Amino acid sequence: LNIGGEMELQVALAQAVTVLEDAGVEESRLDAEVLLAHALELTRAQLYARLNQRLSPQDQECYQALIAQRVRHEPVAYIVGHKTFYGLDFLVDRRVLIPRPETELLVERAIEMAQARSPRLIADAGTGCGAIAVSLAAHLPEATLYALDASPDALAVAETNCRRHGVEGRVHLLLGDLLSPLPQPVNLIVANLPYIPQGELESLPPAIRDYEPLTALDGGEDGLVAIRRLLAQARGHLRPRGAILLEIGADQGPAVARLAQQRFPMAKVDVIRDYAGLDRVVVVDKVSTTTKS
Ligand SMILES: C[S@@+](CC[C@H](N)C(=O)[O-])C[C@H]1O[C@@H](n2cnc3c(N)ncnc32)[C@H](O)[C@@H]1O
């Protein structure tokens, strides 16, 4: 980015868009705006109102550095240090996966299912930055949550997010393998575990492959290693009216539904599609046992 002298914000923006486009960044305009707003500590609305103003040399330098990070395909959320999920703002950095909008579907369903259950004891396996657990705690004031992860780094980020949203008293952060640290059975287990087949990791876009934690992505040989192990562990950690919600990859619906039905032959197992029409969440509901033959 070649910025000489004091230039108007809109000129700096246009130059940055070109640089990002040349680097193959898809949402170049949006990213250029978000990063300029970040450099100037403005909202995007405030930025639009000032497009004719001039950029100070210090701000130019700062903007240039941010654009250079994005040119190297670093995700915007890591550059700015936060990401909105389910209407809440989460601290994110390279210690955790960036929460995705598809996962909001799992949260939505989990809220409905938790509301029909009491006591509201919920486990979030593989909590990462805490997006799911914190969103559930914020929307279910009577719920107690266990947010579990095998990564101490991820739990440190989740702890900050619990405090940021005032739910640290009800979200218990536990380190360990999948459900094994749970101190008591719960009636809802939710999980967005790694589900990318090992052989596909190399072909992921560089923004994911080169920046997000491998332990948050790698689902083993067929992508289902963590999900299979969680289903095997789940029985001993679920109360009688319990349910499980699992996020899955778009082509994993039938396989995960089959695994779940094998582990829970009497439960009702459903595959739910996301807003793009893709299989996204598998629901295992032990309550509906009587309707099964
Ligand atoms: C795909 S990320 C999901 C993060 C977060 N739940 C979200 O939806 O944004 C998966 C998380 O599972 C954790 N994880 C992977 N294997 C695990 C295991 N065996 N036990 C506990 N956590 C695990 C990773 O550290 C990572 O934080």
Side-chain angles (χ1 to χ4, degrees):
L1 188 62
N2 181 19
I3 304 176
E6 286 197 10
M7 63 168 57
E8 284 183 3
L9 265 54
Q10 57 191 342
V11 177
L13 207 47
Q15 284 192 0
V17 171
T18 307
V19 171
L20 292 176
E21 270 172 3
D22 289 348
V25 172
E26 269 174 23
E27 305 225 52
S28 52
R29 176 82 203 180
L30 174 66
D31 291 359
E33 287 179 6
V34 168
L35 294 175
L36 184 54
H38 180 69
L40 302 177
E41 295 179 25
L42 299 174
T43 63
R44 270 168 71 218
Q46 290 169 330
L47 180 70
Y48 294 141
R50 294 171 204 210
L51 287 175
N52 294 326
Q53 291 183 8
R54 298 202 167 261
L55 201 53
S56 74
Q58 296 91 313
D59 288 340
Q60 277 187 24
E61 203 175 311
C62 169
Y63 189 38
Q64 227 167 327
L66 299 178
I67 293 296
Q69 281 176 273
R70 190 68 189 114
V71 162
R72 293 193 292 272
H73 295 281
E74 181 162 349
V76 171
Y78 288 155
I79 302 174
V80 301
H82 60 104
K83 174 80 183 176
T84 301
F85 177 84
Y86 214 76
L88 299 174
D89 189 58
F90 287 87
L91 165 87
V92 293
D93 60 30
R94 290 184 65 176
R95 291 174 289 177
V96 291
L97 185 102
I98 299 163
R100 304 295 204 269
E102 304 89 272
T103 306
E104 293 178 342
L105 177 67
L106 183 147
V107 172
E108 212 172 275
R109 284 301 169 116
I111 291 173
E112 287 168 18
M113 295 186 74
Q115 277 165 345
R117 285 170 166 79
S118 171
R120 293 187 186 142
L121 294 171
I122 307 173
D124 173 20
T127 197
C129 77
I132 298 174
V134 171
S135 301
L136 292 177
H139 285 84
L140 296 164
E142 286 155 32
T144 298
L145 281 108
Y146 297 103
L148 315 154
D149 210 290
S151 155
D153 275 352
L155 289 181
V157 176
E159 185 180 11
T160 306
N161 284 319
C162 286
R163 274 190 269 110
R164 178 177 282 198
H165 297 292
V167 295
E168 69 275 20
R170 287 186 296 119
V171 179
H172 306 287
L173 299 162
L174 302 171
L175 178 68
D177 181 48
L178 298 174
L179 301 170
S180 59
L182 278 180
Q184 62 171 327
V186 295
N187 40 34
L188 207 55
I189 294 171
V190 296
N192 175 19
L193 290 166
Y195 55 70
I196 311 223
Q198 233 155 36
E200 292 174 22
L201 292 169
E202 262 308 300
S203 42
L204 288 171
I208 302 175
R209 184 192 63 210
D210 299 342
Y211 289 93
E212 300 203 69
L214 186 62
T215 47
L217 301 170
D218 185 353
E221 192 167 355
D222 64 352
L224 300 179
V225 170
I227 288 176
R228 197 180 284 114
R229 289 183 52 239
L230 178 119
L231 284 167
Q233 285 186 6
R235 178 172 300 281
H237 296 286
L238 262 189
R239 291 178 163 240
R241 282 169 43 81
I244 308 170
L245 287 95
L246 301 172
E247 180 167 323
I248 53 158
D251 56 357
Q252 295 171 338
V256 175
R258 205 164 39 241
L259 288 170
Q261 200 76 78
Q262 280 163 6
R263 286 285 170 192
F264 296 90
M266 303 296 281
K268 184 170 183 298
V269 177
D270 285 314
V271 182
I272 300 173
R273 294 197 173 150
D274 64 17
Y275 301 109
L278 304 171
D279 286 353
R280 187 58 62 195
V281 177
V282 171
V283 180
V284 186
D285 191 344
K286 281 173 67 186
V287 172
S288 315
T289 49
T290 49
T291 58
K292 254 348 258 180
S293 56

